PDB file of all heavy atoms in Angstrom:
ATOM      1  N   GLN A  90      11.156  23.155  -6.231  1.00  0.00           N
ATOM      2  CA  GLN A  90      12.118  22.076  -6.072  1.00  0.00           C
ATOM      3  C   GLN A  90      12.419  21.452  -7.429  1.00  0.00           C
ATOM      4  O   GLN A  90      11.520  20.971  -8.116  1.00  0.00           O
ATOM      5  CB  GLN A  90      11.579  21.005  -5.120  1.00  0.00           C
ATOM      6  CG  GLN A  90      11.352  21.530  -3.715  1.00  0.00           C
ATOM      7  CD  GLN A  90      10.923  20.416  -2.788  1.00  0.00           C
ATOM      8  OE1 GLN A  90      11.270  19.270  -2.987  1.00  0.00           O
ATOM      9  NE2 GLN A  90      10.165  20.761  -1.779  1.00  0.00           N
ATOM     10  N   LEU A  98       5.753  19.907 -14.604  1.00  0.00           N
ATOM     11  CA  LEU A  98       5.655  20.415 -15.963  1.00  0.00           C
ATOM     12  C   LEU A  98       4.785  19.506 -16.809  1.00  0.00           C
ATOM     13  O   LEU A  98       3.898  19.970 -17.542  1.00  0.00           O
ATOM     14  CB  LEU A  98       7.052  20.539 -16.573  1.00  0.00           C
ATOM     15  CG  LEU A  98       7.105  21.016 -18.037  1.00  0.00           C
ATOM     16  CD1 LEU A  98       6.452  22.383 -18.161  1.00  0.00           C
ATOM     17  CD2 LEU A  98       8.550  21.070 -18.516  1.00  0.00           C
ATOM     18  N   GLY A 103      -0.332  18.398 -19.392  1.00  0.00           N
ATOM     19  CA  GLY A 103      -1.485  17.510 -19.508  1.00  0.00           C
ATOM     20  C   GLY A 103      -2.783  18.214 -19.156  1.00  0.00           C
ATOM     21  O   GLY A 103      -3.828  17.982 -19.777  1.00  0.00           O
ATOM     22  N   GLN A 107      -5.913  18.694 -21.647  1.00  0.00           N
ATOM     23  CA  GLN A 107      -7.235  18.196 -21.297  1.00  0.00           C
ATOM     24  C   GLN A 107      -8.266  19.318 -21.356  1.00  0.00           C
ATOM     25  O   GLN A 107      -9.413  19.112 -21.757  1.00  0.00           O
ATOM     26  CB  GLN A 107      -7.205  17.582 -19.891  1.00  0.00           C
ATOM     27  CG  GLN A 107      -8.476  16.827 -19.514  1.00  0.00           C
ATOM     28  CD  GLN A 107      -8.760  15.657 -20.443  1.00  0.00           C
ATOM     29  OE1 GLN A 107      -7.841  14.928 -20.810  1.00  0.00           O
ATOM     30  NE2 GLN A 107     -10.017  15.487 -20.830  1.00  0.00           N
ATOM     31  N   GLU A 136      -6.506  17.994  -9.820  1.00  0.00           N
ATOM     32  CA  GLU A 136      -6.243  17.448  -8.487  1.00  0.00           C
ATOM     33  C   GLU A 136      -4.812  16.930  -8.382  1.00  0.00           C
ATOM     34  O   GLU A 136      -4.135  17.176  -7.374  1.00  0.00           O
ATOM     35  CB  GLU A 136      -7.237  16.312  -8.196  1.00  0.00           C
ATOM     36  CG  GLU A 136      -7.106  15.708  -6.813  1.00  0.00           C
ATOM     37  CD  GLU A 136      -8.108  14.600  -6.565  1.00  0.00           C
ATOM     38  OE1 GLU A 136      -9.134  14.565  -7.275  1.00  0.00           O
ATOM     39  OE2 GLU A 136      -7.857  13.762  -5.679  1.00  0.00           O
ATOM     40  N   LEU A 138      -2.189  17.885 -10.156  1.00  0.00           N
ATOM     41  CA  LEU A 138      -1.272  19.016 -10.173  1.00  0.00           C
ATOM     42  C   LEU A 138      -1.270  19.725  -8.823  1.00  0.00           C
ATOM     43  O   LEU A 138      -0.223  20.155  -8.333  1.00  0.00           O
ATOM     44  CB  LEU A 138      -1.664  19.994 -11.283  1.00  0.00           C
ATOM     45  CG  LEU A 138      -0.744  21.211 -11.462  1.00  0.00           C
ATOM     46  CD1 LEU A 138       0.678  20.766 -11.766  1.00  0.00           C
ATOM     47  CD2 LEU A 138      -1.274  22.121 -12.568  1.00  0.00           C
ATOM     48  N   PRO A 152      12.767  19.732  10.115  1.00  0.00           N
ATOM     49  CA  PRO A 152      12.055  20.960  10.516  1.00  0.00           C
ATOM     50  C   PRO A 152      12.572  21.488  11.844  1.00  0.00           C
ATOM     51  O   PRO A 152      12.822  20.728  12.775  1.00  0.00           O
ATOM     52  CB  PRO A 152      10.596  20.485  10.631  1.00  0.00           C
ATOM     53  CG  PRO A 152      10.676  19.020  10.857  1.00  0.00           C
ATOM     54  CD  PRO A 152      11.884  18.556  10.116  1.00  0.00           C
ATOM     55  N   LYS A 154      12.430  24.862  14.845  1.00  0.00           N
ATOM     56  CA  LYS A 154      11.679  25.961  15.423  1.00  0.00           C
ATOM     57  C   LYS A 154      12.546  26.612  16.487  1.00  0.00           C
ATOM     58  O   LYS A 154      13.017  25.949  17.400  1.00  0.00           O
ATOM     59  CB  LYS A 154      10.373  25.460  16.043  1.00  0.00           C
ATOM     60  CG  LYS A 154       9.478  26.567  16.568  1.00  0.00           C
ATOM     61  CD  LYS A 154       8.168  25.983  17.095  1.00  0.00           C
ATOM     62  CE  LYS A 154       7.249  27.078  17.578  1.00  0.00           C
ATOM     63  NZ  LYS A 154       5.969  26.519  18.119  1.00  0.00           N
ATOM     64  N   PHE A 164       6.952  12.049  12.929  1.00  0.00           N
ATOM     65  CA  PHE A 164       5.908  11.019  12.854  1.00  0.00           C
ATOM     66  C   PHE A 164       5.272  10.749  14.211  1.00  0.00           C
ATOM     67  O   PHE A 164       4.067  10.613  14.343  1.00  0.00           O
ATOM     68  CB  PHE A 164       6.513   9.726  12.288  1.00  0.00           C
ATOM     69  CG  PHE A 164       5.539   8.576  12.218  1.00  0.00           C
ATOM     70  CD1 PHE A 164       4.646   8.480  11.171  1.00  0.00           C
ATOM     71  CD2 PHE A 164       5.513   7.611  13.205  1.00  0.00           C
ATOM     72  CE1 PHE A 164       3.740   7.431  11.097  1.00  0.00           C
ATOM     73  CE2 PHE A 164       4.616   6.551  13.142  1.00  0.00           C
ATOM     74  CZ  PHE A 164       3.726   6.469  12.083  1.00  0.00           C
ATOM     75  N   LEU A 177      18.753  -6.399   8.390  1.00  0.00           N
ATOM     76  CA  LEU A 177      19.984  -5.868   7.816  1.00  0.00           C
ATOM     77  C   LEU A 177      21.141  -6.856   7.977  1.00  0.00           C
ATOM     78  O   LEU A 177      22.012  -6.963   7.115  1.00  0.00           O
ATOM     79  CB  LEU A 177      20.335  -4.540   8.479  1.00  0.00           C
ATOM     80  CG  LEU A 177      21.548  -3.794   7.926  1.00  0.00           C
ATOM     81  CD1 LEU A 177      21.320  -3.420   6.464  1.00  0.00           C
ATOM     82  CD2 LEU A 177      21.836  -2.554   8.747  1.00  0.00           C
ATOM     83  N   CYS A 184      23.397 -14.398   1.660  1.00  0.00           N
ATOM     84  CA  CYS A 184      24.331 -14.514   0.541  1.00  0.00           C
ATOM     85  C   CYS A 184      25.363 -15.609   0.788  1.00  0.00           C
ATOM     86  O   CYS A 184      25.919 -16.178  -0.149  1.00  0.00           O
ATOM     87  CB  CYS A 184      25.042 -13.180   0.323  1.00  0.00           C
ATOM     88  SG  CYS A 184      23.947 -11.869  -0.265  1.00  0.00           S
ATOM     89  N   SER A 188      18.941 -19.650   2.526  1.00  0.00           N
ATOM     90  CA  SER A 188      17.704 -19.171   3.135  1.00  0.00           C
ATOM     91  C   SER A 188      17.857 -19.035   4.650  1.00  0.00           C
ATOM     92  O   SER A 188      18.196 -19.997   5.337  1.00  0.00           O
ATOM     93  CB  SER A 188      16.556 -20.136   2.817  1.00  0.00           C
ATOM     94  OG  SER A 188      16.380 -20.255   1.422  1.00  0.00           O
ATOM     95  N   THR A 191      14.920 -14.016  10.485  1.00  0.00           N
ATOM     96  CA  THR A 191      15.078 -13.437  11.807  1.00  0.00           C
ATOM     97  C   THR A 191      13.696 -13.212  12.399  1.00  0.00           C
ATOM     98  O   THR A 191      12.719 -13.001  11.668  1.00  0.00           O
ATOM     99  CB  THR A 191      15.847 -12.100  11.749  1.00  0.00           C
ATOM    100  OG1 THR A 191      15.909 -11.534  13.075  1.00  0.00           O
ATOM    101  CG2 THR A 191      15.145 -11.102  10.853  1.00  0.00           C
ATOM    102  N   THR A 195      10.211  -5.113  15.608  1.00  0.00           N
ATOM    103  CA  THR A 195      10.363  -4.273  14.425  1.00  0.00           C
ATOM    104  C   THR A 195       9.676  -2.936  14.667  1.00  0.00           C
ATOM    105  O   THR A 195       8.649  -2.870  15.334  1.00  0.00           O
ATOM    106  CB  THR A 195       9.735  -4.954  13.191  1.00  0.00           C
ATOM    107  OG1 THR A 195      10.344  -6.232  13.009  1.00  0.00           O
ATOM    108  CG2 THR A 195       9.945  -4.128  11.937  1.00  0.00           C
ATOM    109  N   HIS A 202      -1.896   2.799   5.437  1.00  0.00           N
ATOM    110  CA  HIS A 202      -3.322   2.857   5.133  1.00  0.00           C
ATOM    111  C   HIS A 202      -4.079   1.643   5.676  1.00  0.00           C
ATOM    112  O   HIS A 202      -5.224   1.417   5.318  1.00  0.00           O
ATOM    113  CB  HIS A 202      -3.535   2.953   3.617  1.00  0.00           C
ATOM    114  CG  HIS A 202      -3.022   4.225   3.023  1.00  0.00           C
ATOM    115  ND1 HIS A 202      -3.637   5.443   3.190  1.00  0.00           N
ATOM    116  CD2 HIS A 202      -1.926   4.474   2.271  1.00  0.00           C
ATOM    117  CE1 HIS A 202      -2.964   6.383   2.563  1.00  0.00           C
ATOM    118  NE2 HIS A 202      -1.915   5.826   1.997  1.00  0.00           N
ATOM    119  N   HIS A 206      -0.768  -2.577  10.405  1.00  0.00           N
ATOM    120  CA  HIS A 206       0.632  -2.185  10.551  1.00  0.00           C
ATOM    121  C   HIS A 206       0.760  -1.266  11.759  1.00  0.00           C
ATOM    122  O   HIS A 206       0.205  -0.170  11.782  1.00  0.00           O
ATOM    123  CB  HIS A 206       1.127  -1.470   9.296  1.00  0.00           C
ATOM    124  CG  HIS A 206       1.406  -2.409   8.165  1.00  0.00           C
ATOM    125  ND1 HIS A 206       1.297  -2.047   6.844  1.00  0.00           N
ATOM    126  CD2 HIS A 206       1.792  -3.700   8.155  1.00  0.00           C
ATOM    127  CE1 HIS A 206       1.603  -3.064   6.068  1.00  0.00           C
ATOM    128  NE2 HIS A 206       1.905  -4.084   6.848  1.00  0.00           N
ATOM    129  N   ALA A 231       3.908 -21.127   1.450  1.00  0.00           N
ATOM    130  CA  ALA A 231       4.289 -22.335   2.185  1.00  0.00           C
ATOM    131  C   ALA A 231       4.304 -22.085   3.690  1.00  0.00           C
ATOM    132  O   ALA A 231       3.888 -22.944   4.480  1.00  0.00           O
ATOM    133  CB  ALA A 231       5.660 -22.820   1.719  1.00  0.00           C
ATOM    134  N   VAL A 233       2.542 -19.742   5.431  1.00  0.00           N
ATOM    135  CA  VAL A 233       1.172 -19.583   5.935  1.00  0.00           C
ATOM    136  C   VAL A 233       0.472 -20.936   6.021  1.00  0.00           C
ATOM    137  O   VAL A 233      -0.213 -21.245   7.008  1.00  0.00           O
ATOM    138  CB  VAL A 233       0.382 -18.613   5.035  1.00  0.00           C
ATOM    139  CG1 VAL A 233      -1.093 -18.604   5.428  1.00  0.00           C
ATOM    140  CG2 VAL A 233       0.950 -17.195   5.143  1.00  0.00           C
ATOM    141  N   LYS A 234       0.644 -21.769   5.006  1.00  0.00           N
ATOM    142  CA  LYS A 234       0.018 -23.094   5.014  1.00  0.00           C
ATOM    143  C   LYS A 234       0.570 -23.963   6.139  1.00  0.00           C
ATOM    144  O   LYS A 234      -0.177 -24.722   6.779  1.00  0.00           O
ATOM    145  CB  LYS A 234       0.217 -23.780   3.664  1.00  0.00           C
ATOM    146  CG  LYS A 234      -0.630 -23.202   2.547  1.00  0.00           C
ATOM    147  CD  LYS A 234      -0.453 -23.996   1.266  1.00  0.00           C
ATOM    148  CE  LYS A 234      -1.409 -23.529   0.202  1.00  0.00           C
ATOM    149  NZ  LYS A 234      -1.269 -24.299  -1.066  1.00  0.00           N
ATOM    150  N   PHE A 235       1.874 -23.861   6.375  1.00  0.00           N
ATOM    151  CA  PHE A 235       2.488 -24.621   7.464  1.00  0.00           C
ATOM    152  C   PHE A 235       1.873 -24.242   8.800  1.00  0.00           C
ATOM    153  O   PHE A 235       1.517 -25.101   9.619  1.00  0.00           O
ATOM    154  CB  PHE A 235       3.999 -24.379   7.488  1.00  0.00           C
ATOM    155  CG  PHE A 235       4.676 -24.924   8.721  1.00  0.00           C
ATOM    156  CD1 PHE A 235       4.987 -26.270   8.827  1.00  0.00           C
ATOM    157  CD2 PHE A 235       4.983 -24.081   9.784  1.00  0.00           C
ATOM    158  CE1 PHE A 235       5.601 -26.776   9.975  1.00  0.00           C
ATOM    159  CE2 PHE A 235       5.593 -24.569  10.932  1.00  0.00           C
ATOM    160  CZ  PHE A 235       5.903 -25.921  11.024  1.00  0.00           C
ATOM    161  N   ASP A 247      -6.643 -25.164  22.181  1.00  0.00           N
ATOM    162  CA  ASP A 247      -6.766 -23.707  22.054  1.00  0.00           C
ATOM    163  C   ASP A 247      -7.686 -23.337  20.897  1.00  0.00           C
ATOM    164  O   ASP A 247      -8.493 -22.401  21.003  1.00  0.00           O
ATOM    165  CB  ASP A 247      -5.388 -23.090  21.833  1.00  0.00           C
ATOM    166  CG  ASP A 247      -4.479 -23.257  23.042  1.00  0.00           C
ATOM    167  OD1 ASP A 247      -4.994 -23.215  24.174  1.00  0.00           O
ATOM    168  OD2 ASP A 247      -3.264 -23.438  22.845  1.00  0.00           O
ATOM    169  N   GLU A 249     -10.167 -25.130  19.693  1.00  0.00           N
ATOM    170  CA  GLU A 249     -11.552 -25.430  20.068  1.00  0.00           C
ATOM    171  C   GLU A 249     -12.115 -24.367  21.006  1.00  0.00           C
ATOM    172  O   GLU A 249     -13.302 -24.038  20.942  1.00  0.00           O
ATOM    173  CB  GLU A 249     -11.618 -26.810  20.713  1.00  0.00           C
ATOM    174  CG  GLU A 249     -11.388 -27.953  19.716  1.00  0.00           C
ATOM    175  CD  GLU A 249     -11.365 -29.310  20.391  1.00  0.00           C
ATOM    176  OE1 GLU A 249     -11.248 -29.339  21.647  1.00  0.00           O
ATOM    177  OE2 GLU A 249     -11.450 -30.339  19.687  1.00  0.00           O
ATOM    178  N   MET A 251     -11.216 -21.196  20.912  1.00  0.00           N
ATOM    179  CA  MET A 251     -11.495 -20.059  20.033  1.00  0.00           C
ATOM    180  C   MET A 251     -12.785 -20.281  19.248  1.00  0.00           C
ATOM    181  O   MET A 251     -13.604 -19.371  19.106  1.00  0.00           O
ATOM    182  CB  MET A 251     -10.320 -19.864  19.071  1.00  0.00           C
ATOM    183  CG  MET A 251      -9.029 -19.430  19.724  1.00  0.00           C
ATOM    184  SD  MET A 251      -9.093 -17.740  20.357  1.00  0.00           S
ATOM    185  CE  MET A 251      -9.254 -16.820  18.839  1.00  0.00           C
ATOM    186  N   ALA A 252     -12.969 -21.517  18.766  1.00  0.00           N
ATOM    187  CA  ALA A 252     -14.168 -21.827  17.988  1.00  0.00           C
ATOM    188  C   ALA A 252     -15.424 -21.737  18.840  1.00  0.00           C
ATOM    189  O   ALA A 252     -16.475 -21.290  18.380  1.00  0.00           O
ATOM    190  CB  ALA A 252     -14.044 -23.216  17.372  1.00  0.00           C
ATOM    191  N   SER A 259     -13.581 -21.136  12.765  1.00  0.00           N
ATOM    192  CA  SER A 259     -12.144 -20.844  12.683  1.00  0.00           C
ATOM    193  C   SER A 259     -11.317 -22.074  12.310  1.00  0.00           C
ATOM    194  O   SER A 259     -10.373 -21.986  11.515  1.00  0.00           O
ATOM    195  CB  SER A 259     -11.644 -20.259  14.002  1.00  0.00           C
ATOM    196  OG  SER A 259     -11.893 -21.155  15.080  1.00  0.00           O
ATOM    197  N   ARG A 273      -3.001 -15.928  -7.383  1.00  0.00           N
ATOM    198  CA  ARG A 273      -2.062 -14.824  -7.529  1.00  0.00           C
ATOM    199  C   ARG A 273      -2.479 -13.936  -8.690  1.00  0.00           C
ATOM    200  O   ARG A 273      -2.710 -14.410  -9.795  1.00  0.00           O
ATOM    201  CB  ARG A 273      -0.641 -15.349  -7.748  1.00  0.00           C
ATOM    202  CG  ARG A 273      -0.181 -16.268  -6.623  1.00  0.00           C
ATOM    203  CD  ARG A 273       1.199 -16.842  -6.874  1.00  0.00           C
ATOM    204  NE  ARG A 273       1.578 -17.787  -5.822  1.00  0.00           N
ATOM    205  CZ  ARG A 273       2.757 -18.371  -5.738  1.00  0.00           C
ATOM    206  NH1 ARG A 273       3.683 -18.115  -6.656  1.00  0.00           N
ATOM    207  NH2 ARG A 273       3.015 -19.206  -4.750  1.00  0.00           N
ATOM    208  N   GLU A 278      -4.324  -6.092 -12.073  1.00  0.00           N
ATOM    209  CA  GLU A 278      -5.552  -6.894 -12.049  1.00  0.00           C
ATOM    210  C   GLU A 278      -6.365  -6.607 -10.790  1.00  0.00           C
ATOM    211  O   GLU A 278      -7.598  -6.549 -10.836  1.00  0.00           O
ATOM    212  CB  GLU A 278      -5.202  -8.383 -12.114  1.00  0.00           C
ATOM    213  CG  GLU A 278      -4.625  -8.827 -13.454  1.00  0.00           C
ATOM    214  CD  GLU A 278      -4.124 -10.263 -13.422  1.00  0.00           C
ATOM    215  OE1 GLU A 278      -3.482 -10.656 -12.428  1.00  0.00           O
ATOM    216  OE2 GLU A 278      -4.394 -11.000 -14.392  1.00  0.00           O
ATOM    217  N   ILE A 280      -6.459  -3.779  -9.045  1.00  0.00           N
ATOM    218  CA  ILE A 280      -7.097  -2.471  -9.191  1.00  0.00           C
ATOM    219  C   ILE A 280      -8.301  -2.561 -10.119  1.00  0.00           C
ATOM    220  O   ILE A 280      -9.367  -1.977  -9.864  1.00  0.00           O
ATOM    221  CB  ILE A 280      -6.095  -1.428  -9.717  1.00  0.00           C
ATOM    222  CG1 ILE A 280      -5.018  -1.146  -8.667  1.00  0.00           C
ATOM    223  CG2 ILE A 280      -6.805  -0.131 -10.094  1.00  0.00           C
ATOM    224  CD1 ILE A 280      -5.523  -0.537  -7.384  1.00  0.00           C
ATOM    225  N   LEU A 311     -11.005  -8.749  -2.592  1.00  0.00           N
ATOM    226  CA  LEU A 311     -10.197  -9.602  -3.458  1.00  0.00           C
ATOM    227  C   LEU A 311     -10.192 -11.046  -2.967  1.00  0.00           C
ATOM    228  O   LEU A 311     -10.290 -11.989  -3.757  1.00  0.00           O
ATOM    229  CB  LEU A 311      -8.768  -9.066  -3.528  1.00  0.00           C
ATOM    230  CG  LEU A 311      -8.617  -7.679  -4.173  1.00  0.00           C
ATOM    231  CD1 LEU A 311      -7.186  -7.179  -4.019  1.00  0.00           C
ATOM    232  CD2 LEU A 311      -9.005  -7.721  -5.643  1.00  0.00           C
TER     233      LEU A 311
END
Side-chain angles (χ1 to χ4, degrees):
Q90 297 184 29
L98 178 59
Q107 189 61 42
E136 183 180 339
L138 183 59
K154 185 177 182 181
F164 178 81
L177 184 62
C184 292
S188 301
T191 177
T195 303
H202 294 287
H206 284 151
V233 172
K234 287 184 173 181
F235 170 80
D247 294 325
E249 289 176 345
M251 293 290 294
S259 58
R273 303 177 184 185
E278 291 173 318
I280 292 297
L311 296 173

